[in-house]
Amino acid sequence: MSIGGNRLNVGVLGASGYTGAELLRLLVTHDGVNIAALTADRRAGQPIEAVFPHLGGLGLPTLVANDEVDWSAMDVAFCCLPHGTTQEIIAALPEHLKIVDLSADFRLRDIATYAEWYGHEHRAPALQSDAVYGLTEAYRDEIARARLVAAPGCYPTGALLPLIPLLEAGQIVIDEITIDAKSGTTGAGRAAKEGMLFSEVGEGFSAYGIAGHRHMPEMEQELSVAAGQPVTIGFTPHLVPMSRGILSTIYVRLRDGASADDLRATLDARYADEPFVRVLPAGFAPATQHVRGSNHCLIGVHADRRPGRAVLVSAIDNLTKGSSGQAVQDMNIMYGLDERRGLGQAPLFP
Amino acid sequence: MSIGGNRLNVGVLGASGYTGAELLRLLVTHDGVNIAALTADRRAGQPIEAVFPHLGGLGLPTLVANDEVDWSAMDVAFCCLPHGTTQEIIAALPEHLKIVDLSADFRLRDIATYAEWYGHEHRAPALQSDAVYGLTEAYRDEIARARLVAAPGCYPTGALLPLIPLLEAGQIVIDEITIDAKSGTTGAGRAAKEGMLFSEVGEGFSAYGIAGHRHMPEMEQELSVAAGQPVTIGFTPHLVPMSRGILSTIYVRLRDGASADDLRATLDARYADEPFVRVLPAGFAPATQHVRGSNHCLIGVHADRRPGRAVLVSAIDNLTKGSSGQAVQDMNIMYGLDERRGLGQAPLFP
Amino acid sequence: MSIGGNRLNVGVLGASGYTGAELLRLLVTHDGVNIAALTADRRAGQPIEAVFPHLGGLGLPTLVANDEVDWSAMDVAFCCLPHGTTQEIIAALPEHLKIVDLSADFRLRDIATYAEWYGHEHRAPALQSDAVYGLTEAYRDEIARARLVAAPGCYPTGALLPLIPLLEAGQIVIDEITIDAKSGTTGAGRAAKEGMLFSEVGEGFSAYGIAGHRHMPEMEQELSVAAGQPVTIGFTPHLVPMSRGILSTIYVRLRDGASADDLRATLDARYADEPFVRVLPAGFAPATQHVRGSNHCLIGVHADRRPGRAVLVSAIDNLTKGSSGQAVQDMNIMYGLDERRGLGQAPLFP
Amino acid sequence: MSIGGNRLNVGVLGASGYTGAELLRLLVTHDGVNIAALTADRRAGQPIEAVFPHLGGLGLPTLVANDEVDWSAMDVAFCCLPHGTTQEIIAALPEHLKIVDLSADFRLRDIATYAEWYGHEHRAPALQSDAVYGLTEAYRDEIARARLVAAPGCYPTGALLPLIPLLEAGQIVIDEITIDAKSGTTGAGRAAKEGMLFSEVGEGFSAYGIAGHRHMPEMEQELSVAAGQPVTIGFTPHLVPMSRGILSTIYVRLRDGASADDLRATLDARYADEPFVRVLPAGFAPATQHVRGSNHCLIGVHADRRPGRAVLVSAIDNLTKGSSGQAVQDMNIMYGLDERRGLGQAPLFP
């Protein structure tokens, strides 16, 4: 490891997509890292501003192909490649590197579940078992010891942060969890698809992937760990005409006379010292515009009108806490740095 | 009634708000009506284009104060006034008029419930009991005979159309109905409020009025009628950065082995001949942009991953089927006209 | 011609793009036409709702390939195909058909100019010389006699309507016309391009094609006709984060002591009897949201602070008056119908 | 002055508006300042998160009334109060304070011009003559010595940065400068006005204040200084359906055979060492989304099709370089700090 007065040398694989851009936006403010290599196979040889004009003038390296990077002098690799293509690339990286993977490739511990939801056998099963799920607030100690961290999906991050402590506390019924989630368009990535054109998405709102979204098994895996038994959820994602943000509205049934206030107390206690999770007082509901561009997760807890039920609402920026921000937070922990480094920006509002 | 070769003379009370504007947009294409009077107390004396530039050049009458209208030659009054102010104004209108009220004032049959949710005693209880709830597909016959129709709220319209037939058929559990609804900004009306500024709403998404929105008792009233017993719902409204549209995602538990396909069959049968309700085939989910500016309601039915549950999704334009469009539909029925008149516009997409 | 109590049989070539969808939205309200055939080569065999869900339930014909249409029973063909592909297809259509082409292929009278701006020789030069430029208010008589009408581009329509009368009246200096135009995203069509994704366009504003947009020669052609001598303009298009609408802000220098009021008087006189062009009173500026979904063009005239100059502002919906609406207007004229038929919708606001 | 190892104590007058919020967003990342007091007369006694939820959890002081601040321990006051109310408040501040005023009150050197455009006599004329216009790149030396800096308006910043060097170089004709500017909605502030509601602004684009906007005299003042003679401009502001950003498209006539490349060379030379102004290479046009949340100004220079003319395009974030960011930059200079402190954030894109 080359740190010690020095900066960590960081390489970003797949820097031409939105998670790559977000990672760079954060890392340029991180005084413990040196952005040493950026890859984008189809844009190799081009300056980053050809792909992301907003990143011009920052002194970033020119884009190269994935196989052109000299990893010998690197400390960390962030993988922002598409799902499915990442496994073999990561398997081929030198042993001395620590890796934060932002794809879905190493999130599912069960290889069979992976194959079921992603349509092919996993291509690096040995690495799969080494990978740590990078939900910082749940796996901080494991992350500190990990070589390979799988940064969670955006929907799972927004749902798991409010739900895990409540399942661990046994305050909610495990088979009555319904997650109604709403995401901005960057969640769909930068690939040019008709359905994601401004003309199609603007002034409209829709549900998609009902009961079949790939983030479901990832949520169920982690909720089952928290509950100590298998959890099956209801989950409906929606597309909001905005670029960033996920709001998750979560309907739960309470156990053993617990109240909404009890749930809030549990979350308050759990997250009191967390730098990026904030539980709102009774009566306040989060909004995505209040976390835009920041690594924060806001959580509100509300009584339902129906006795014995409650409504949880969480807000994150899908590109920050839901992806690249959490990846930076995890990297900081992997290297024993203050986990807030590179993440000091207040939300951008309006 | 002055029709018979002639056009119905229509007055619109409160023409300077969004429901008033939408009513005018529709009525100018209705060849059975004559828009004879428009009121707006604070803008009396001004041409309509001073309030709504897009309505200029259409030959509409100048705005007058509410008490300046000569109702003797009128046939129909549409009331687009704010909640609470409407009751006494309607009570004072001449007997020969038929009235469609777009406020909440006559939607709740139970005066005590009204007082509880609106914070004051009802001021026209006698009229209240005469009023017919104007959800066209549920009360067509009663509307045909009514003098006073209370056009439903926007959220109730989107939720009731999919739910009523299923409750009537006994296919869903009555105490496990959760409605997660998302609305465009016009639902909040045209009053200048900080929270509704473009700068506040744009690029953001939030929940509001959790478990306390005034449309809840209206929904529960009608769902209870359909179920034949009291129904209490979960309901969370959200604000979408768009002007028009409501998408309702509704989580239900199935009874007696019913499947999502069974629910769809029930809805298909019920709405087969309805001009404005369309049940989508399996696998299709509605989007608000596909009903924009039209009087349509689209409904999708989806199996949940959890056995014995289903997800219903409906889309309406809150200003059209959710308000002024349904009001025109009801007026047509009150006068024995084809209910599609004035409502022939296809959705505006993109 | 098969009309006479009967409806015109209309075929739409290229019904899977935005101009096709807009045409259908308008034609379904036109009681003088029968939509008899829709083509979309890549979607042949599919129902229109597979391509445009908002057009489901309207009884429209299934999509077929371009060469599958039996034109013998048709009266009119609307061509909504991409630029460059249209020429040969139109050249092959039977003689009895009247044609409104919405592409750029027949707008430029000079074949050399076409070749210069579109990068290839024109493939139907004989038809080119027969085509009438379909700016209704400028060429109504020629359109009435035409077999082939080339519907103008969206930017040209917004700029020409205010400028032509002023050039004809000799009130403005011909070499000091600067057009700063702003368009919604549908102007770019439905092709999936990275730059048109919601995530790229939202919450942003940019200029593009500066001094090099293909609508320039079309504008200069028509302005030169109006001026009686060659006109070269300045033109900068911009992309607005909205789906529909073009606002053109036009800077002109006045001739011979003319004032802004004089310009307005000229436009007032010229457009007094036009159903779709409205010149606003002094002090009022148009907005695109006030023409959304309608065939209207609003024009405002303003004095500059610099003596001897004025600012013209026009607003249209690029898909309606800027494209499909004007195409319908032209078709009405070609068949001697009231030109307002199918275009009776008031603007959709909000 | 209390700095020297220590932090500057900063008070923000008027912290409940958008420029106040933006200032706080930036200052919380500035390790040379201590945010010691926040005022908001109508919200005195409330925590900042009651006014701006996104600023909760940052340890900011509670809001107090303007006259409750103990200025004795303060170093700097930022005034984010509305135009017109600021003069007397600033005049009453203790002498030891340095002040950056974000209102228009001290921008116009000529008292008569102020009275003409703002409708009342200036109430602190003595201070007016001491104030330095805070366009950093033009007045860096004067700012370093100033006690009172008047941060420029947002439109002036976007227009002056490209124009001043060209006028100084004598490369453009002074009476043929036309500025067509487009702004996001935050430029209108946070006051609740019907015209700024999401429902009114969304999916629309309009011009306003044509030839009469209050930023005109400010621009003309500075352009006249640069030209060495009085300059009168054409200026049309527009409202874009986005929250942040200003794009200015500026039409100029070239002098003495200068070309667009010559203009770009002048700007390149002038801004080569500036940390926040970036002149783009030929063929590239700026976009507001590429400066969002950052203090950058991007400038593109383009040849017009008409010989002897050019088109300049600049992009800024109106709340950052157009207001609070530039105010921080100026404060840094007033205290001899690196002017980039607190402004190190890369643009937020998407």
Side-chain angles (χ1 to χ4, degrees):
Chain A
M1 188 169 69
S2 61
I3 203 164
N6 297 330
R7 290 174 175 239
L8 290 170
N9 282 316
V10 170
V12 178
L13 289 159
S16 61
Y18 292 144
T19 56
E22 180 70 352
L23 201 54
L24 295 175
R25 182 180 75 87
L26 299 170
L27 290 177
V28 294
T29 72
H30 191 310
D31 57 10
V33 306
N34 170 44
I35 302 171
L38 304 179
T39 82
D41 271 358
R42 277 180 294 184
R43 310 300 290 266
Q46 299 183 17
I48 187 73
E49 57 260 46
V51 172
F52 285 118
H54 72 291
L55 295 176
L58 298 171
L60 293 170
T62 296
L63 294 165
V64 298
N66 288 337
D67 57 10
E68 289 181 280
V69 180
D70 173 6
W71 291 105
S72 64
M74 295 283 173
D75 300 293
V76 188
F78 286 98
C79 290
C80 302
L81 298 165
H83 306 315
T85 66
T86 303
Q87 300 156 33
E88 289 159 308
I89 288 174
I90 287 184
L93 290 176
E95 282 290 321
H96 76 277
L97 281 178
K98 297 200 182 189
I99 301 159
V100 184
D101 179 27
L102 288 83
S103 83
D105 280 14
F106 293 97
R107 294 179 192 154
L108 296 179
R109 290 190 194 95
D110 183 50
I111 303 285
T113 305
Y114 179 88
E116 177 192 341
W117 284 85
Y118 288 89
H120 62 90
E121 295 303 309
H122 201 282
R123 297 170 190 130
L127 273 177
Q128 180 78 296
S129 55
D130 287 348
V132 170
Y133 191 68
L135 188 69
T136 323
E137 291 74 11
Y139 290 101
R140 189 175 276 113
D141 294 345
E142 292 83 350
I143 292 165
R145 295 188 301 264
R147 179 185 169 239
L148 169 57
V149 167
C154 48
Y155 285 123
T157 297
L160 294 173
L161 287 173
L163 283 171
I164 284 175
L166 305 180
L167 284 169
E168 289 179 347
Q171 290 179 306
I172 58 175
V173 177
I174 65 161
D175 59 354
E176 298 204 34
I177 298 169
T178 299
I179 300 163
D180 190 283
K182 301 88 173 174
S183 175
T185 56
T186 51
R190 204 184 198 189
K193 297 176 213 153
E194 181 184 287
M196 300 308 294
L197 293 174
F198 187 96
S199 303
E200 303 279 323
V201 174
E203 260 292 301
F205 187 88
S206 57
Y208 68 98
I210 301 175
H213 193 281
R214 285 177 169 176
H215 283 175
M216 294 185 82
E218 183 183 337
M219 288 190 258
E220 292 177 350
Q221 166 183 289
E222 297 303 319
L223 295 174
S224 299
V225 169
Q229 54 183 298
V231 172
T232 304
I233 56 170
F235 174 60
T236 311
H238 299 79
L239 185 64
V240 186
M242 63 182 183
S243 292
R244 283 173 178 252
I246 289 180
L247 195 94
S248 302
T249 310
I250 305 171
Y251 300 91
V252 295
R253 188 190 286 270
L254 306 169
R255 283 185 62 192
D256 303 333
S259 68
D261 289 340
D262 295 335
L263 303 193
R264 193 183 307 105
T266 298
L267 293 170
D268 265 334
R270 170 69 170 260
Y271 293 125
D273 298 327
E274 286 292 343
F276 295 118
V277 182
R278 209 146 59 87
V279 181
L280 301 182
F284 290 83
T288 65
Q289 53 269 63
H290 297 149
V291 295
R292 186 163 48 222
S294 87
N295 202 47
H296 292 94
C297 174
L298 303 181
I299 302 175
V301 184
H302 308 265
D304 198 320
R305 245 164 69 80
R306 294 169 296 178
R309 293 177 180 272
V311 183
L312 310 166
V313 184
S314 76
I316 59 168
D317 185 319
N318 59 305
L319 288 181
T320 321
K321 185 61 179 170
S323 168
S324 303
Q326 188 155 247
V328 170
Q329 192 180 0
D330 289 345
M331 180 206 72
N332 286 331
I333 291 170
M334 293 164 85
Y335 280 96
L337 307 176
D338 183 329
E339 72 188 70
R340 295 168 300 184
R341 288 176 76 176
L343 300 168
Q345 310 199 359
L348 186 83
F349 176 85
Chain B
M1 188 169 70
S2 60
I3 204 162
N6 297 330
R7 288 172 176 240
L8 291 168
N9 282 317
V10 169
V12 178
L13 288 159
S16 62
Y18 293 143
T19 56
E22 179 71 350
L23 201 52
L24 294 174
R25 181 179 76 87
L26 299 170
L27 290 177
V28 294
T29 70
H30 191 310
D31 57 10
V33 306
N34 170 43
I35 302 170
L38 305 178
T39 83
D41 272 359
R42 278 181 295 186
R43 309 301 291 267
Q46 299 183 17
I48 187 73
E49 58 260 47
V51 172
F52 285 118
H54 71 293
L55 295 176
L58 298 171
L60 293 170
T62 296
L63 294 164
V64 298
N66 288 337
D67 57 11
E68 288 181 279
V69 178
D70 174 7
W71 292 105
S72 63
M74 296 284 173
D75 299 291
V76 188
F78 286 97
C79 290
C80 302
L81 298 165
H83 307 314
T85 65
T86 303
Q87 300 156 35
E88 289 159 308
I89 288 174
I90 287 184
L93 290 175
E95 282 290 323
H96 75 277
L97 280 178
K98 296 199 183 189
I99 301 159
V100 184
D101 180 28
L102 286 83
S103 84
D105 281 15
F106 294 98
R107 292 177 193 157
L108 297 179
R109 291 191 193 94
D110 183 50
I111 303 285
T113 304
Y114 179 88
E116 178 192 342
W117 284 85
Y118 288 90
H120 63 89
E121 295 301 309
H122 203 280
R123 298 172 187 126
L127 272 176
Q128 181 77 296
S129 56
D130 287 349
V132 170
Y133 190 69
L135 188 69
T136 321
E137 290 74 12
Y139 291 100
R140 188 174 275 114
D141 294 346
E142 293 83 349
I143 292 164
R145 296 186 301 264
R147 177 183 170 242
L148 169 58
V149 167
C154 48
Y155 285 124
T157 297
L160 294 172
L161 287 172
L163 283 171
I164 285 175
L166 305 181
L167 284 169
E168 289 180 348
Q171 290 179 307
I172 57 175
V173 177
I174 67 162
D175 59 355
E176 297 205 35
I177 299 170
T178 298
I179 301 163
D180 191 282
K182 301 88 174 173
S183 174
T185 57
T186 52
R190 206 185 197 189
K193 296 176 212 152
E194 182 185 287
M196 301 307 295
L197 292 173
F198 188 96
S199 303
E200 303 279 323
V201 175
E203 258 293 302
F205 187 88
S206 57
Y208 68 97
I210 301 175
H213 193 281
R214 285 175 168 178
H215 282 174
M216 293 185 83
E218 183 182 337
M219 287 191 259
E220 291 177 352
Q221 165 182 288
E222 297 302 321
L223 295 175
S224 300
V225 170
Q229 55 183 299
V231 172
T232 303
I233 56 171
F235 173 59
T236 309
H238 300 77
L239 186 63
V240 186
M242 65 181 182
S243 291
R244 285 171 178 253
I246 288 181
L247 195 95
S248 303
T249 310
I250 306 171
Y251 300 91
V252 295
R253 189 191 285 269
L254 305 170
R255 282 184 61 192
D256 303 334
S259 68
D261 289 339
D262 294 336
L263 303 194
R264 191 181 310 104
T266 298
L267 293 170
D268 265 335
R270 171 67 169 260
Y271 294 125
D273 298 327
E274 286 293 344
F276 294 117
V277 182
R278 208 147 59 89
V279 181
L280 301 182
F284 290 83
T288 66
Q289 53 270 60
H290 298 150
V291 296
R292 186 161 50 221
S294 87
N295 203 47
H296 292 95
C297 175
L298 302 182
I299 302 175
V301 184
H302 309 265
D304 198 320
R305 242 163 71 79
R306 294 170 296 178
R309 293 177 179 274
V311 183
L312 310 167
V313 183
S314 75
I316 59 169
D317 184 320
N318 60 304
L319 288 180
T320 320
K321 184 61 179 170
S323 170
S324 303
Q326 188 154 245
V328 169
Q329 192 181 0
D330 289 344
M331 181 206 73
N332 285 332
I333 292 170
M334 293 163 86
Y335 281 96
L337 308 176
D338 184 329
E339 71 189 71
R340 295 169 298 184
R341 288 177 74 177
L343 301 169
Q345 309 199 0
L348 187 81
F349 176 84
Chain C
M1 187 169 67
S2 59
I3 203 163
N6 297 330
R7 290 175 176 236
L8 290 169
N9 282 317
V10 169
V12 178
L13 289 159
S16 63
Y18 292 144
T19 56
E22 180 72 352
L23 200 54
L24 295 174
R25 182 180 74 88
L26 299 170
L27 289 177
V28 294
T29 71
H30 191 310
D31 58 9
V33 306
N34 171 42
I35 302 171
L38 305 179
T39 83
D41 271 358
R42 277 180 294 184
R43 310 300 291 267
Q46 300 183 17
I48 187 74
E49 58 260 45
V51 172
F52 285 118
H54 72 291
L55 295 177
L58 298 171
L60 293 170
T62 295
L63 295 165
V64 298
N66 288 337
D67 56 11
E68 288 182 278
V69 180
D70 173 7
W71 291 105
S72 64
M74 296 283 174
D75 299 292
V76 188
F78 286 98
C79 289
C80 302
L81 298 166
H83 307 314
T85 66
T86 304
Q87 300 156 33
E88 288 159 309
I89 289 175
I90 287 186
L93 290 175
E95 281 290 323
H96 76 277
L97 281 178
K98 297 201 183 190
I99 301 159
V100 184
D101 178 28
L102 287 84
S103 83
D105 280 14
F106 293 98
R107 293 177 192 155
L108 296 179
R109 290 190 194 96
D110 183 52
I111 304 284
T113 304
Y114 179 88
E116 176 192 342
W117 285 84
Y118 288 87
H120 63 89
E121 295 302 309
H122 202 282
R123 298 171 189 128
L127 273 177
Q128 180 79 293
S129 55
D130 286 350
V132 169
Y133 190 69
L135 188 69
T136 323
E137 291 74 12
Y139 291 100
R140 188 175 274 112
D141 293 346
E142 292 83 348
I143 291 165
R145 295 187 299 265
R147 177 182 171 246
L148 169 58
V149 166
C154 48
Y155 284 124
T157 297
L160 294 173
L161 287 172
L163 283 171
I164 285 175
L166 305 180
L167 284 169
E168 289 179 348
Q171 290 179 306
I172 57 175
V173 177
I174 66 161
D175 60 354
E176 298 205 34
I177 298 170
T178 299
I179 300 164
D180 190 282
K182 299 89 174 174
S183 174
T185 56
T186 51
R190 205 183 198 192
K193 297 177 212 153
E194 179 185 287
M196 301 308 295
L197 292 174
F198 188 96
S199 302
E200 303 279 322
V201 174
E203 258 293 300
F205 187 89
S206 57
Y208 67 98
I210 301 175
H213 193 282
R214 285 176 169 177
H215 283 175
M216 293 186 82
E218 183 182 337
M219 288 191 258
E220 292 177 351
Q221 165 183 289
E222 297 303 319
L223 294 174
S224 299
V225 169
Q229 55 184 295
V231 172
T232 304
I233 57 170
F235 173 61
T236 310
H238 300 77
L239 185 64
V240 186
M242 63 182 183
S243 292
R244 283 171 178 254
I246 288 180
L247 196 94
S248 302
T249 310
I250 306 171
Y251 300 91
V252 295
R253 188 190 285 271
L254 305 170
R255 282 185 62 191
D256 304 333
S259 68
D261 288 340
D262 295 336
L263 303 194
R264 192 182 309 102
T266 297
L267 293 170
D268 266 335
R270 171 66 170 260
Y271 292 124
D273 298 326
E274 285 293 342
F276 294 117
V277 182
R278 209 147 60 86
V279 181
L280 301 182
F284 289 83
T288 65
Q289 53 268 63
H290 297 149
V291 296
R292 186 163 48 223
S294 87
N295 202 47
H296 292 95
C297 175
L298 302 182
I299 302 175
V301 184
H302 308 266
D304 198 318
R305 244 164 70 78
R306 294 169 295 178
R309 293 176 180 273
V311 183
L312 310 167
V313 183
S314 76
I316 58 169
D317 184 320
N318 59 304
L319 287 180
T320 321
K321 184 62 178 170
S323 168
S324 303
Q326 188 154 246
V328 170
Q329 192 180 0
D330 290 344
M331 180 207 71
N332 285 332
I333 291 170
M334 292 164 86
Y335 280 97
L337 306 177
D338 184 328
E339 72 188 70
R340 295 169 298 185
R341 289 177 75 177
L343 301 169
Q345 310 200 1
L348 186 83
F349 176 86
Chain D
M1 190 169 69
S2 60
I3 203 162
N6 297 329
R7 289 173 176 239
L8 290 169
N9 282 316
V10 169
V12 178
L13 289 159
S16 62
Y18 293 142
T19 55
E22 179 71 351
L23 202 53
L24 295 173
R25 181 179 75 87
L26 299 170
L27 289 177
V28 294
T29 71
H30 191 309
D31 58 10
V33 305
N34 171 43
I35 302 170
L38 304 178
T39 84
D41 271 0
R42 278 181 294 184
R43 310 301 291 269
Q46 299 183 16
I48 188 73
E49 58 260 46
V51 173
F52 286 117
H54 71 291
L55 296 177
L58 298 171
L60 294 169
T62 296
L63 295 164
V64 298
N66 289 336
D67 56 12
E68 288 182 280
V69 180
D70 174 7
W71 291 105
S72 64
M74 296 284 175
D75 300 291
V76 188
F78 286 97
C79 290
C80 302
L81 298 165
H83 307 315
T85 66
T86 303
Q87 300 157 34
E88 289 158 308
I89 288 174
I90 287 185
L93 290 175
E95 281 289 324
H96 76 277
L97 280 178
K98 297 200 182 188
I99 300 159
V100 183
D101 179 28
L102 286 83
S103 84
D105 280 15
F106 293 99
R107 293 178 193 155
L108 296 179
R109 291 189 193 95
D110 183 50
I111 305 284
T113 304
Y114 180 88
E116 177 192 341
W117 284 84
Y118 288 88
H120 63 89
E121 295 302 310
H122 202 280
R123 298 172 187 126
L127 272 177
Q128 179 77 297
S129 55
D130 287 350
V132 170
Y133 190 70
L135 187 69
T136 322
E137 290 75 11
Y139 291 100
R140 189 174 274 114
D141 294 345
E142 293 83 348
I143 292 164
R145 296 187 300 266
R147 179 185 168 241
L148 170 57
V149 165
C154 48
Y155 285 125
T157 297
L160 294 173
L161 287 173
L163 283 171
I164 284 176
L166 305 181
L167 284 169
E168 288 180 349
Q171 290 179 307
I172 58 174
V173 178
I174 67 162
D175 60 354
E176 297 204 37
I177 299 169
T178 299
I179 300 164
D180 191 282
K182 302 87 174 174
S183 175
T185 57
T186 52
R190 206 184 197 190
K193 297 175 211 153
E194 181 184 289
M196 301 308 294
L197 293 173
F198 188 96
S199 303
E200 303 278 324
V201 175
E203 259 292 303
F205 187 89
S206 57
Y208 68 97
I210 301 175
H213 194 280
R214 283 173 168 178
H215 282 176
M216 293 185 81
E218 184 182 337
M219 286 191 260
E220 291 176 352
Q221 166 181 289
E222 297 304 320
L223 295 175
S224 299
V225 169
Q229 55 183 299
V231 172
T232 303
I233 56 171
F235 173 60
T236 309
H238 300 77
L239 185 64
V240 186
M242 64 181 182
S243 291
R244 284 172 178 251
I246 289 180
L247 195 95
S248 302
T249 310
I250 305 172
Y251 300 91
V252 295
R253 188 191 285 271
L254 306 169
R255 282 185 62 191
D256 303 334
S259 69
D261 288 340
D262 295 336
L263 303 194
R264 192 182 309 106
T266 297
L267 294 170
D268 265 335
R270 173 67 169 261
Y271 292 125
D273 297 327
E274 287 292 344
F276 294 116
V277 182
R278 208 147 59 88
V279 181
L280 301 182
F284 289 83
T288 66
Q289 53 269 61
H290 297 150
V291 296
R292 184 161 54 222
S294 87
N295 202 47
H296 292 96
C297 175
L298 302 182
I299 302 175
V301 184
H302 308 266
D304 198 320
R305 244 165 69 81
R306 294 169 295 177
R309 293 177 180 274
V311 183
L312 311 167
V313 183
S314 76
I316 59 170
D317 184 319
N318 59 305
L319 288 180
T320 320
K321 183 61 179 172
S323 169
S324 303
Q326 187 153 247
V328 170
Q329 192 181 359
D330 289 344
M331 182 206 71
N332 285 333
I333 291 170
M334 292 164 86
Y335 280 96
L337 307 176
D338 184 329
E339 72 190 70
R340 295 168 299 184
R341 288 177 75 177
L343 301 169
Q345 309 199 0
L348 187 82
F349 176 85

